[in-house]
Amino acid sequence: MKIIILGAGQVGGTLAEHLAGEANDITVVDTDADRLRNLGDRLDIRTVVGRGSFPTVLRQAGADDADMLVAVTNSDEVNMIACQVAYTLFHTPTKIARVRESAYLTREALFDNEAIPVDVLISPEQVVTNYIKRLIEYPGALQVIDFAEGKAQLVAVRAYYGGPLVGQQLRQIREHMPSVDTRVAAIFRRNRPIMPQGDTVIEADDEVFFIAAKAHIRAVMSEMRRLEDSYKRIVIAGGGHIGERLAEAIESRYQVKIIEMNPARCRYLSENLESTVVLQGSASDRDLLVEENINEADIFLALTNDDEANIMSSLLAKRLGARKVMTIINNPAYVDLVQGGEIDIAISPQLATIGTLLTHVRRGDIESVHSLRRGAAEAIEAIAHGDAKSSKVVGRMIEDIALPPGTTIGAVIRDEEVLIAHDDTVIESGDHVILFLVDKKYIRDVERLFQVGLTFF
C-alpha cells in the first residue's frame, strides 16, 4: 500500500515505524528537515521537506497514485486542507486527519465530500480520555480494551503473590470458576512473551492478558490478584483538553478535583464542569497537595503536556500517600523507565492513537487494532467473510486454522454472544474474531487469513 504521512512528530514517526516493516511504500512529509533525516536514517522510507497542504509538495510525495493520506501534523487546519487538496487534485481514496479542536469536532456536517473530505477523523484527546476512563473503571488493570462495542474486553493485569491462580496451571481456571468462560491470550514474564498452554503455570509478577465477556472481567481479575476497592476520590493534574474531557466523563460518579496553573483556564473549567472542584496552582506544590488531602486520593492523574512536570508531580503525590498514580508520558523513551515503580501506569498518547490509525491501514476486514505493551504486541478484531471454499477461516475449527507463530484467537463474537475460543470452536461468516499477536512481523499473514479468495465473488 502506498501511504503518505504528513507530520514526522511522535505520532507520524511511530506510525511510519509500524508500517515500514510491513512492506508498505511510505513517504513522510514535514517542514523539519532534521527530524526527517533522523527518521530516514532509521527506517526504509522516503522523506519530503515541505508543507503538507501544498499541492506541489503532495505531488512530490507521490500523491498522484497514493492509496492513503494520513495527516497528523500539529495543525488541525493544515491536516484538513491537505485532505481537501488530496481529494480535489489527486482523488486519493482514503484520507485520515488528526483534528484536536472540539470546535471542529462538534460540527459533524463539516466532514464529508461536499465540505471537507476527511474519511476518518482521529481525535487523540478523545482516544486517551476513553483509555483512562476504562482504567478507572477496573482498579488494578494495566490495560483495558473494548471489542465489538464493549461486548468483550481484553484486560492486562499483573499477577500478585497470593492470587488464587498464581503458582497453578492455566487449565485450573475452569475448576476455580466453572460458570465463567475466559481465555488467557498471552503472558509476559520478565518482558518476554510466553504462549499460554493448559499446563502453563502463572508466576507472581507475570503480566497476564486475558479476554472475557464484559460481565466476567472482575471475576477473572480476582483470580490473578486481590481485587482493589473501587476508586472514589480522583485528583487530576492539568486542566487541558484531556483533563477537561475526563472530568466531564466521570464527575457524576466520582469526587473529582482538577489542579490547573492558568487562572483563565481555571475560570473556564469551573464554569463548564458540573461538580468538579477546580484548584488554581501547581501540582508539584507540596503544600497544596497536603492541604487538599492527597493522602486520601484513590488515584492521581498527571495529564499535562509536560513529561517532566507529570513525572515529578506523580512521584510527589505517591510519596505523600496517593493510592495509585497514572501519568501521561509523551516521550516513548521515558515510558519503560517510569512504569511499575512509583508510577503505577504510564500512558503513551502516541501508542493509544496509533491503534486507531492502524485499524484503517490494515488489509482484510479489520474492525479495530490495539497496540499492547508499548507497541510490542497487537490485539486485532477481524471480521470473517465468505464460505469454506473462499475463506481460510470460515467453516473451520480453530485448531485447524493455520495461525502464524505467536498468534492466538482469544474469542469469537457472534451477533450478541461472546464465545471464548476453544480448539473445537468453528468460525462462521460474519463472526468478529479477536486475535492476539506477540510478534508483529506476522501481521501480514494474519491479514491474508481474513482476505476472501476470488471464488467468493
Side-chain angles (χ1 to χ4, degrees):
M1 190 181 285
K2 188 169 182 181
I3 302 167
I4 299 172
I5 299 172
L6 307 183
Q10 292 190 332
V11 170
T14 308
L15 181 64
E17 210 167 319
H18 274 75
L19 298 177
E22 298 173 14
N24 292 295
D25 180 356
I26 307 294
T27 303
V28 179
V29 178
D30 200 284
T31 53
D32 188 330
D34 292 336
R35 195 181 278 172
L36 288 176
R37 195 177 303 113
N38 291 337
L39 210 53
D41 288 345
R42 288 190 294 113
L43 307 173
D44 181 19
I45 58 171
R46 282 182 67 229
T47 60
V48 173
V49 180
R51 280 180 72 86
S53 55
F54 288 2
T56 49
V57 173
L58 285 174
R59 177 163 274 124
Q60 192 184 343
D64 284 313
D65 59 348
D67 300 300
M68 180 180 290
L69 177 81
V70 183
V72 287
T73 75
N74 287 328
S75 165
D76 289 352
E77 290 75 17
V78 168
N79 295 340
M80 293 188 290
I81 292 297
C83 289
Q84 181 74 66
V85 173
Y87 172 78
T88 306
L89 298 184
F90 304 109
H91 312 294
T92 307
T94 305
K95 299 159 295 298
I96 299 173
R98 176 170 69 176
V99 178
R100 287 185 156 131
E101 195 53 63
S102 56
Y104 292 128
L105 295 171
T106 52
R107 301 284 185 269
E108 287 181 20
L110 263 184
F111 300 101
D112 64 32
N113 288 346
E114 302 303 314
I116 302 172
V118 177
D119 301 303
V120 181
L121 273 173
I122 304 288
S123 170
E125 283 81 6
Q126 196 55 52
V127 171
V128 173
T129 300
N130 294 341
Y131 185 98
I132 297 170
K133 188 164 160 277
R134 286 195 295 269
L135 288 172
I136 292 171
E137 287 168 357
Y138 293 104
L142 297 172
Q143 195 164 3
V144 181
I145 291 165
D146 282 344
F147 292 107
E149 298 169 347
K151 295 185 186 75
Q153 291 182 316
L154 179 74
V155 177
V157 294
R158 192 172 300 286
Y160 273 43
Y161 288 102
L165 265 180
V166 175
Q168 304 204 40
Q169 294 183 346
L170 284 179
R171 61 168 58 98
Q172 292 175 282
I173 288 182
R174 182 56 62 87
E175 295 167 25
H176 281 247
M177 299 182 297
S179 60
V180 172
D181 208 1
T182 185
R183 180 172 179 127
V184 173
I187 296 171
F188 285 84
R189 181 171 298 159
R190 292 180 283 280
N191 289 324
R192 297 178 66 86
I194 295 171
M195 292 309 295
Q197 309 291 335
D199 59 357
T200 302
V201 175
I202 294 177
E203 295 181 7
D205 223 33
D206 281 355
E207 205 171 308
V208 182
F209 285 83
F210 68 86
I211 192 162
K214 186 173 183 175
H216 296 153
I217 294 296
R218 285 183 70 81
V220 182
M221 284 178 70
S222 69
E223 291 294 303
M224 311 291 173
R225 52 179 297 137
R226 183 177 57 79
L227 268 186
E228 295 184 17
D229 294 334
S230 295
Y231 301 131
K232 291 191 184 111
R233 291 171 289 277
I234 296 173
V235 176
I236 297 172
H241 290 310
I242 295 175
E244 179 193 359
R245 288 183 192 197
L246 183 63
E248 199 172 25
I250 65 173
E251 64 180 353
S252 61
R253 287 176 293 149
Y254 304 92
Q255 298 170 29
V256 182
K257 291 179 182 177
I258 289 182
I259 301 173
E260 167 59 41
M261 276 290 288
N262 186 310
R265 185 68 182 169
C266 285
R267 279 193 297 276
Y268 168 84
L269 291 169
S270 60
E271 288 165 8
N272 286 276
L273 294 170
E274 296 287 331
S275 57
T276 298
V277 175
V278 181
L279 304 165
Q280 198 254 312
S282 167
S284 299
D285 181 340
R286 187 181 189 280
D287 293 338
L288 175 63
L289 293 180
V290 170
E291 192 180 313
E292 293 303 325
N293 302 315
I294 193 68
N295 60 313
E296 294 177 5
D298 294 309
I299 183 163
F300 177 88
L301 294 153
L303 308 181
T304 76
N305 289 324
D306 185 327
D307 284 355
E308 285 77 11
N310 285 345
I311 292 168
M312 295 313 292
S313 63
S314 297
L315 294 176
L316 180 60
K318 195 64 178 277
R319 197 67 54 85
L320 293 173
R323 178 174 140 202
K324 184 149 288 191
V325 167
M326 293 186 204
T327 309
I328 278 187
I329 306 287
N330 288 290
N331 185 341
Y334 289 177
V335 175
D336 286 326
L337 288 176
V338 301
Q339 176 156 304
E342 296 279 302
I343 292 172
D344 298 288
I345 298 178
I347 297 158
S348 166
Q350 287 76 27
L351 289 175
T353 308
I354 285 301
T356 314
L357 289 166
L358 290 176
T359 300
H360 303 284
V361 177
R362 299 285 183 231
R363 296 165 177 82
D365 194 350
I366 305 297
E367 183 74 10
S368 64
V369 177
H370 299 275
S371 187
L372 308 174
R373 297 202 87 252
R374 298 165 297 285
E378 276 188 10
I380 294 175
E381 179 181 345
I383 303 175
H385 294 293
D387 54 28
K389 289 181 182 174
S390 61
S391 168
K392 299 183 183 75
V393 295
V394 173
R396 289 171 172 76
M397 290 194 294
I398 285 174
E399 66 179 357
D400 297 329
I401 296 173
L403 290 171
T407 304
T408 54
I409 292 178
V412 176
I413 298 156
R414 187 171 296 157
D415 299 323
E416 296 299 309
E417 191 179 6
V418 177
L419 306 170
I420 298 304
H422 298 290
D423 287 347
D424 59 354
T425 304
V426 176
I427 306 292
E428 296 180 5
S429 184
D431 283 353
H432 288 235
V433 182
I434 313 303
L435 302 104
F436 191 101
L437 285 82
V438 295
D439 192 340
K440 292 195 314 185
K441 73 181 179 191
Y442 294 109
I443 187 75
R444 293 295 300 277
D445 299 319
V446 172
E447 290 173 0
R448 278 193 281 268
L449 271 180
F450 288 85
Q451 287 176 325
V452 177
L454 289 174
T455 52
F456 180 51
F457 301 100

